[in-house]
Amino acid sequence: MSTIHTELWKSATFTIERIEGRAPLALIYRVIGPFNARDMYGSMKQVALGNIFEFKPPSGVETPTLHIFDISKVPQMDSSALGTIVSHFISCRNKGIRVIAVGPNPNVVQLFKFTKVDTLIPTAATIDEALGS
């Protein structure tokens, strides 16, 4: 199985890419840099921002059952970015898809705890740990 990297967003401050094929039935969303969704508002309509993580597999391909957010290279995240992840989590939960956040640093962990997102979205230290859960 080959690995496919698709750039979903690129700006001067952060990037988002989707990785397919690292493991069967799993998608990885890798965010690199300070994840400030407000920075995206000038370039992207709010509806498109809310759907940035949507994925429809090609015909005949099974829908992934696990979405991993690799946020290990995110030094901080604003509430809009967190809201985008939570919205995606809710959409996935309604479809029976699990969501795991990987590698959050102490600032992001604090945001998760303050907003109680840590009670919704499980975390793992590494992608391999998330894939094994």
Side-chain angles (χ1 to χ4, degrees):
M1 175 182 270
S2 64
T3 304
I4 301 168
H5 294 253
T6 304
E7 190 173 88
L8 302 177
W9 176 261
K10 184 170 181 71
S11 72
T13 56
F14 72 97
T15 60
I16 302 172
E17 72 174 338
R18 181 180 60 233
I19 302 166
E20 303 165 54
R22 164 107 188 250
L25 300 178
L27 285 180
I28 300 169
Y29 294 97
R30 178 172 291 145
V31 183
I32 299 172
F35 188 13
N36 297 309
R38 290 184 191 149
D39 292 347
M40 300 168 82
Y41 288 149
S43 305
M44 192 178 245
K45 293 184 178 179
Q46 192 161 0
V47 171
L49 174 60
N51 294 329
I52 195 166
F53 299 117
E54 285 299 312
F55 176 77
K56 295 191 192 272
S59 180
V61 175
E62 285 186 79
T63 300
T65 57
L66 174 63
H67 288 194
I68 296 171
F69 280 91
D70 178 359
I71 53 175
S72 60
K73 295 188 182 337
V74 174
Q76 63 88 21
M77 178 183 301
D78 70 6
S79 59
S80 296
L82 182 63
T84 301
I85 291 174
V86 170
S87 292
H88 185 69
F89 164 79
I90 291 167
S91 173
C92 285
R93 182 179 61 186
N94 292 338
K95 298 173 190 167
I97 300 169
R98 294 181 308 130
V99 173
I100 299 174
V102 168
N105 77 20
N107 291 332
V108 176
V109 169
Q110 184 178 13
L111 177 63
F112 274 41
K113 287 182 179 183
F114 180 74
T115 58
K116 307 242 188 271
V117 169
D118 63 327
T119 65
L120 293 174
I121 300 175
T123 60
T126 66
I127 291 173
D128 289 335
E129 181 182 321
L131 290 169
S133 67

